Amino acid sequence: MSQVKTLPITATRWLSLLLCAITAATITVFLSKVGFVQKAYSSWSAILNANPVLHYSSAFLAGISIKLLLDKFYISHPKRSIGFSWRYPPVTIAVWLSVAGLLVYLFVNTEYRTYFLDDDLLFSSLKYLHITLFSSALFVLFQETKEKAKKLGGKSWFILFIILVTLLLASGCYHTPWPIIITLILLYCFAVILRLLANSEVKKTYNESSSIGVNSDDDFKDLDDFREWFKDDSTIKSKEKLESDLQVYAKRITERLRNGGDDYEEDLAQHIALCGPYGCGKSSIVAAIASELKKPKQVKLESSDKEKLTVKQQNKINWIHSDISTWGAASGSVAHVVLSNIIDDISQYIDMCAFRALPKHYTEALKSGGSAFQFVSTLLAGPVDMEESFKKLNGVLEETNHKLLITLQDVDRGTDEESEKRLNDIAALLDRLKNEALSHINFIVAMGNEKDVAAEVISKATDYREDIAALDCFDYLNQYTKLCLENALKPNKYRKIESYKIISHRGLVKLDEQCKGQRDSLSSELKKLEIIDSHLNSFRVLKKVLRRVEQAWQPEKLMGEVNFISLMMVAAFREVYPVQYSRYQKLATKENQLLHRWSAPKSLELKIIEICKSNDGVQDEQLKQYVGHMLSIDWGKSDEANATVNPKFNYLQSVGCTNNAVNYLDRIQREGLSRKEKLYATELSDQILIAKVIELRESVEILEFLGKWFGLEREYRLGLERFFFIPDCCDDLTKGLAGFFESQKHKRKLQFKNFSENCDIELSIAWLIAECLTLGNLHEVFSFFFIRIKNDDQRASNEERDIFYLLVVEILGLLPSTSEPTNIMIFFRELNKVENEKAYMFFCLFLISATKEGERDYDCANKCFEFDISNIRVADQKLNVLLGIDSNKSLAISVDAGIEFDNAEKLNKEIKDIFK
């Protein structure tokens, strides 16, 4: 059976336009003969002729109305070039042909021929036509896109100006008042000036945007550069601005589209699958490809003549890009959605009126108008053959030297069942079009790689697949962290706190170490960035995390009030795992006590497992490790049942803090300190607390330290406990008591480290007191405690009692643990017992500290001191009363120079100096 021959597309197009023009002209002539039309025209003419200004205004508005009407019915397009194509002319040619047909009819008809021969009648009929044409042309010029506006220079505007003046003089010099002509010329000049200014702004914007380079790897000069990068989450439309890793995919796919495949393949349209995780840059790659296809390809000097000819032919092709999101498209209608969108996009360059179906709301309106209208609507809205429509489109594109790139995005979004049906529809469409061998219609299907079914369906339906590798974000995280911390550490007089104190595992971070790039105190903290990086697989997610961190890490918000790495880990957790984050948020409340220094290992493990369950109920091991690092959980060496949280790292200001006085997760979610109605207007600032810790360490001597410590409100002291064991926070180790806390050469540093690991503040203070005891302050220190214990008795404050008990019993070992050292009378009578040699010797040292040289004598023969205790007072009580002896009686105490006291090195040294 022989195939039916069809006319070429160019011939078919001209024939259809000619038929449209004849039909339009015939209808116009027919309407001109109708009586009510003639009557309406006469009435309207009488109104307009009554006032020339009204006639000019109507003509001007008529030109704009005609252009809007043409746009409404897709006869013209606001973005389409006004250029002309002989091979596929626009439908507006039918308008001009119909006008030409009407002019021929008028000239042939003897009734109207006198209008062409009589100058007065001709000018009176056409004297306002140039106004209509001018307004329509002016509207077209201002309707053009900015890209086309740049192509229209001053020379073109001058030529248009000369043409307009000629038309004005030729058509209106006899009948149009000169003021009207001058007004129109001035309006035209004003419009030209406005348009040229708009063009210059476009060029300026274009130059500024083209001068912005891509910041990748270590190209960020400062924090402002970083902010500009991650605040802009828009699609990148230039290959040069893509990250270097993504440029590879854009270049490879562009070459494949231009060449029609690889060298060994036939030159055919391409069906390409672009797969990658959410936010990895698929949309930017697609936009860069579309932008790159519109640029002429550069010919290499070393290329052969055949290759140069191929490039020359490729540069003649005009590419049209149609970007379509299929998210929400119902199954079974994907092909219609695709066809409708590509017709809209092609119509910006080529007239597509022949491919458009009547809009749905038009046909619905016809159906509601009665049986006759329903019949018409059935005829107008018949079935659309998709394959045939694509074949016709391909023919038009080939004839006009265009190629179409269709990018389908979000094909796997939505529920699994919905996305699977949509994917099958797309796969079926691609398969049918592949069999038609459409050489000028190309597809790129951009989709995620998380769903196995989706990847399998699209891979089978496409010819070529590109998978975007997971991006390495570590360098970005590392550099941004250092820039943010440097910004906080750098003095700034315009902030409330000029220089913030930033804590790491090894103490306060120093600015000089940041600037020199040495292996500084942040090294252990920065390792956590690798854990964050393993969960960030795209720049979009990275930018979302950095924007959220930037929003919180500001002065007057969380700068210095939370650990920066912890803040970043929480932000990443919230963005990447929203479901698991909600579970963590619920379990981190005070009621659930996820983190507590006495949390049972098994309970802690079960809570972490509950948090880290995936949507299908399976535990995510990678996420469990992430949460473990975020909360500073020690999983134990033998099994996970030994999971514990280590309170010694409370000073790190992380969400793993076990101190009940603060909840850093709440602080991060509020992005600021909470408001309180009790002791302080706001939650205690960590910056103030850290500064207070430094002040305490720089106390000149132990009594000053004790006075400052116990002079604080209890809530304030609870806040200070988090930072009591910060290592290396004082610059000068010789200043005050700083050496005791921070000196690397301290002989008993190991014991202090043990205290800090258990976060035993009271035992540490007791040990500090013992280390600082001397003959000069022994009496004052003990008097201080007895005064505090006496005054605080009514308030039932046990902290002073506990510290004094630990000092006397645990640290110095003076009394048995069953004794009551806080009872002043019992305490001194226990010391004054000869059988307890150590306590008796300590009592002697206490009396030496409480007396002057003239109030004590040393008997060398008997090796004893004789004290006048009549004037010695402890906590406003006389010592003789406490001991139960006569005030006039002196007290003789024998001494043993060989006795040493535990943890009181200075006191032991003074004993040796006394009894040399």
Side-chain angles (χ1 to χ4, degrees), residues 859-905:
D859 186 348
C860 295
N862 297 320
K863 294 183 178 180
C864 67
F865 271 101
E866 189 171 310
F867 300 95
D868 179 9
I869 62 171
S870 59
N871 295 322
I872 300 177
R873 303 178 71 88
V874 181
D876 295 333
Q877 297 189 46
K878 291 184 177 182
L879 183 59
N880 64 313
V881 176
L882 294 176
L883 296 177
I885 60 177
D886 188 0
S887 60
N888 296 322
K889 183 180 179 182
S890 61
L891 187 63
I893 298 178
S894 59
V895 296
D896 184 357
I899 292 179
E900 291 186 349
F901 299 94
D902 299 336
N903 307 305
E905 186 177 350

Side-chain angles (χ1 to χ4, degrees), residues 636-655:
K637 296 181 180 179
S638 56
D639 54 43
E640 295 177 357
N642 294 325
T644 56
V645 287
N646 198 334
K648 73 174 181 178
F649 294 124
N650 282 344
Y651 63 81
L652 289 179
Q653 305 172 277
S654 74
V655 290

Side-chain angles (χ1 to χ4, degrees), residues 67 79 123 316 364 396 576 688 724 733 752 755-756 852 862 874 880 888:
K67 182 62 176 65
K79 296 183 181 180
F123 278 114
K316 291 180 180 180
E364 293 295 331
V396 172
V576 181
I688 297 176
F724 193 83
L733 298 183
F752 183 73
F755 294 153
S756 65
K852 300 177 181 178
N862 297 320
V874 181
N880 64 313
N888 296 322

